[in-house]
Amino acid sequence: MPAVPGRPPAHRPADATLRGRLPDFPWDRLEPYKATAAAHPDGIVDLSVGTPVDPVPEEVQKALVAAADSPGYPTVWGTPELRDAITGWCGRRLGARGLTHHNVLPIVGSKELVAWLPTQLGLGPGDVVAYPRLAYPTYEVGARLAGAGHVTYEDPLDLDPTHLRLLWLNSPSNPTGRVLSKDTLARVVAWAREHGVLLASDECYLELGWEADPASVLHPDVCGGSYEGVVAVHSLSKRSNLAGYRAAFLAGDAAVLGDLLQIRKHGGMMTSAPTQAAVVAALGDDVHVHAQRERYAARRAALRGALLRHGFRIEHSEASLYLWATRDESCWDTVAHLASLGILVAPGDFYGEAGERFVRVAMTATDERVAAAVARLG
């Protein structure tokens, strides 16, 4: 009997396929609410996904265009100029000391890295991946793709380290905007090292602190000047509006990154040459980052005030691109209420059961659309 497209072969149970390991894509559940919001006479204000809407900085576009004639294969490790740009930025912005080219690795998007890191580390059945109780769903996806177990935590120091192989931190947090202190980060780094657990710190929102100054695990006050057992993930999607470029990088333990480099050489996971040139330009310029921060700060202030006046309570949200808000009701009731006003937000239970009474409100909309949301909230 011929195979039916989209259906696993009869001799393989559905849960034996990669697709069978994964939950339904959560964002598909928002489609009816998106349709409701889009029917508003003045159009939808989409504050759900958090995709950048502002222009790519001109100098970055120029660098991309200048490198457009790149007929040859790029290298997985990136150009020396790119590695210089990454190590320089980590030293200047994160306070990292003594980083060499062996401590950095360009990657094709941070989401892609999060999803496939457990597999590339060789994790599988019997191994465990841990991530925060409220968290970016792709941490769980990565564990599932590898066939590993997964567990959430409120405090990572309470975890059972017996089978734990990979511990995710996320500060500033998506979705809550919570920022972990240097002391907290240092304690977790020490605990992970004591138990031989690789610590991966997702720091993609680090440059977007509002009421706190986020610190990296690469800062000497946190890691003690050693990068053993520690890897930080950084993205240019938010700071430089490069989500469409899939530009990100890792920094930290040279042994871990060396293994990943060799694996990725076999897998062909190469950042395109024009994108590498664009990243060099983006990391070498802080002016556009400050300008973008000012845009987001103004949008944050406007949305925060409007939500509070509308009866919301906002928790954490001291950093990142989101407001973590509640009306003390089911998140889906809140989503429906806001959709009736033409505003689309993300339900908190996308990020774990602990978010079932919250919604995540993104600040990634144009000034005109933010003003429309503020007006509708009254």
Side-chain angles (χ1 to χ4, degrees):
M1 179 183 297
V4 178
R7 183 181 300 170
H11 64 280
R12 296 184 64 197
D15 60 1
T17 68
L18 278 180
R19 172 64 186 90
R21 297 178 188 172
L22 301 179
D24 292 334
F25 190 58
W27 292 96
D28 291 342
R29 296 168 58 197
L30 262 188
E31 286 303 315
Y33 302 92
K34 185 175 184 178
T36 297
H40 190 279
D42 186 40
I44 188 173
V45 179
D46 193 341
L47 307 177
S48 61
V49 176
T51 187
V53 297
D54 298 303
V56 172
E58 185 176 356
E59 61 273 20
V60 177
Q61 294 188 48
K62 288 180 178 178
L64 184 82
V65 171
D69 186 14
S70 297
Y73 289 112
T75 66
V76 174
W77 203 15
T79 63
E81 293 78 12
L82 175 57
R83 283 175 261 140
D84 282 342
I86 295 173
T87 56
W89 181 85
C90 288
R92 185 175 76 252
R93 182 62 185 85
L94 307 182
R97 298 290 178 263
L99 284 177
T100 72
H101 286 193
H102 295 283
N103 296 109
V104 298
L105 180 65
I107 55 176
V108 185
S110 56
K111 178 174 183 175
E112 293 86 333
L113 181 281
V114 171
W116 292 106
L117 181 61
T119 297
Q120 292 174 21
L121 291 172
L123 274 60
D127 299 321
V128 175
V129 176
Y131 50 87
R133 188 169 63 104
L134 282 167
Y136 185 43
T138 312
Y139 302 134
E140 177 183 340
V141 167
R144 288 178 175 272
L145 287 171
H150 53 90
V151 63
T152 65
Y153 63 80
E154 185 67 37
D155 182 345
L157 303 189
D158 293 332
L159 288 166
D160 178 356
T162 306
H163 300 289
L164 186 61
R165 295 281 306 282
L166 176 62
L167 170 60
W168 280 106
L169 292 182
N170 181 209
S171 175
S173 163
N174 173 15
T176 68
R178 181 186 181 192
V179 173
L180 301 178
S181 69
K182 282 184 179 178
D183 287 345
T184 297
L185 291 171
R187 286 196 296 271
V188 178
V189 168
W191 182 91
R193 285 173 173 166
E194 177 185 353
H195 295 289
V197 177
L198 177 63
L199 188 151
S201 180
D202 181 348
E203 302 175 354
C204 291
Y205 296 92
L206 185 136
E207 295 210 90
L208 295 166
W210 311 114
E211 298 165 8
D213 185 15
S216 171
V217 294
L218 304 182
H219 193 284
D221 290 348
V222 175
C223 67
S226 167
Y227 303 117
E228 179 186 357
V230 173
V231 175
V233 185
H234 284 271
S235 168
L236 286 87
S237 294
K238 313 302 185 184
R239 72 182 295 277
S240 300
N241 300 327
L242 298 189
Y245 286 46
R246 310 312 303 135
F249 61 87
L250 298 174
D253 190 318
V256 173
L257 297 190
D259 286 347
L260 291 176
L261 173 60
Q262 295 305 317
I263 291 166
R264 294 167 77 89
K265 284 181 179 180
H266 287 289
M269 299 176 182
M270 301 172 284
T271 303
S272 75
T275 298
Q276 292 188 31
V279 172
V280 172
L283 292 179
D285 174 63
D286 294 329
V287 174
H288 77 271
V289 179
H290 296 314
Q292 189 61 46
R293 276 181 54 85
E294 290 179 2
R295 294 187 192 104
Y296 283 137
R299 292 166 186 165
R300 178 180 185 272
L303 286 169
R304 184 183 180 92
L307 288 167
L308 292 174
R309 291 191 297 272
H310 199 73
F312 280 88
R313 187 177 75 255
I314 295 173
E315 292 192 0
H316 289 300
S317 307
E318 56 262 32
S320 84
L321 285 178
Y322 313 107
L323 294 169
W324 188 238
T326 181
R327 298 204 310 170
D328 294 310
E329 64 183 5
S330 162
C331 60
W332 288 99
D333 289 343
T334 305
V335 168
H337 168 70
L338 291 175
S340 72
L341 301 178
I343 302 170
L344 188 67
V345 298
D349 66 2
F350 278 10
Y351 308 94
E353 292 182 4
E356 63 185 359
R357 299 179 73 82
F358 285 79
V359 293
R360 193 195 73 170
V361 183
M363 296 179 269
T364 51
T366 64
D367 293 342
E368 184 274 331
R369 288 289 83 189
V370 168
V374 169
R376 295 175 196 182
L377 289 167

